[in-house]
Amino acid sequence: MEQDKLRELKIQLRRHMNGTTAAIMKGLDDAYAANYGLSLQHARDVAAQIELSPDDCDYLWGTRWRDFMLIAAAAMLQYDPEPERLMPWVAAIPSSEMVEMLPFLLTGKLSRAMPLAQSLALRSEGFDFAVALNTAARSLQSQGVTPASPGVVESLLSNAVARPSWSMPEAAALSFLARQCLRRNVAPALVTRVKEVALARPDAHSRLVAQQIDDEILLLNP
């Protein structure tokens, strides 16, 4: 990456830094190499102001600076990258926060979001499955039900039901996907099965999945 471009990005970080947010996040998660507390909107603004190539985005993601990672995701969206290009990105995710931010800024909006989600679920290491769930949920939210949606969603929900347990990021993402499915009438029987499995598990975040599914049903059918 050109040093002049990197220097300008660092200037933008200092300009938009949020010390309070960075301090709070530092206490919760030390996974990042650096954290200036950049907001999502400022990340998008910086990505729009500075021309970043796909290679630049790869470089910024690899720095493990939280703010550069957000900017990279926002900038990469314009290139609509192939799923294979983003596999190393997901493998390098350092925190549960980025499990949500990457699908919000990038993967959930790609034209091939659902195939990417399916590929991630098959790999299923580290944060892979949580990102797969969030990617599918964001795709339903932003793009609606596409021809690829029902089959991929059914596969993801079936995978979730078959797992012996869910991590906290997986449970949060599963809840998000289930709620999006209910809003679009996608795989309702499997969403019900997810709720049943969640109720049978002793951990608090699984029970929260069941509660949020119930809340969504009440919201849709007052």
Side-chain angles (χ1 to χ4, degrees):
M1 185 174 187
E2 296 175 3
Q3 290 303 306
D4 287 347
K5 195 178 294 187
L6 187 58
R7 189 177 302 111
E8 178 59 27
L9 284 168
K10 291 179 178 179
I11 291 172
Q12 292 297 326
L13 290 191
R14 288 193 292 271
R15 181 174 299 165
H16 295 297
M17 74 178 293
N18 186 323
T20 300
T21 300
I24 292 172
M25 293 182 61
K26 189 66 175 178
L28 296 174
D29 193 345
D30 294 326
Y32 300 112
N35 176 15
Y36 286 77
L38 200 69
S39 71
L40 289 174
Q41 187 54 56
H42 283 147
R44 286 170 167 158
D45 291 344
V46 173
Q49 292 166 9
I50 299 176
E51 185 177 346
L52 297 170
S53 70
D55 287 343
D56 290 335
C57 295
D58 288 339
Y59 173 85
L60 292 174
W61 188 265
T63 64
R64 290 183 59 251
W65 285 34
R66 172 186 177 273
D67 318 274
F68 281 168
M69 295 177 85
L70 295 178
I71 292 168
M76 185 64 100
L77 180 60
Q78 65 183 302
Y79 299 107
D80 194 24
E82 295 286 342
E84 291 74 16
R85 180 155 200 156
L86 296 178
M87 290 299 189
W89 285 42
V90 178
I93 287 178
S95 72
S96 57
E97 181 210 20
M98 206 57 68
V99 170
E100 299 180 7
M101 294 301 98
L102 181 60
F104 181 79
L105 289 169
L106 176 58
T107 60
K109 299 180 181 180
L110 299 178
S111 64
R112 293 170 292 279
M114 286 297 181
L116 173 61
Q118 192 167 40
S119 296
L120 288 171
L122 290 173
R123 190 172 67 173
S124 195
E125 298 176 0
F127 289 120
D128 289 351
F129 190 55
V131 175
L133 295 168
N134 273 324
T135 293
R138 288 290 178 191
S139 182
L140 286 177
Q141 185 182 58
S142 63
Q143 302 182 55
V145 181
T146 65
S149 297
V152 173
V153 169
E154 288 174 2
S155 176
L156 289 170
L157 294 178
S158 296
N159 189 327
V161 166
R163 286 171 174 254
S165 63
W166 306 317
S167 67
M168 189 174 294
E170 288 169 352
L174 179 58
S175 172
F176 182 28
L177 178 58
R179 286 182 280 122
Q180 294 304 316
C181 288
L182 289 170
R183 294 177 191 183
R184 289 156 182 80
N185 195 32
V186 175
L190 274 170
V191 172
T192 299
R193 181 60 183 144
V194 167
K195 175 189 165 183
E196 293 170 350
V197 170
L199 284 171
R201 295 185 173 174
D203 55 284
H205 49 270
S206 291
R207 292 196 298 272
L208 186 60
V209 171
Q211 182 61 59
Q212 291 190 346
I213 290 173
D214 271 342
D215 290 345
E216 190 67 34
I217 292 171
L218 288 174
L219 182 65
L220 295 172
N221 304 285

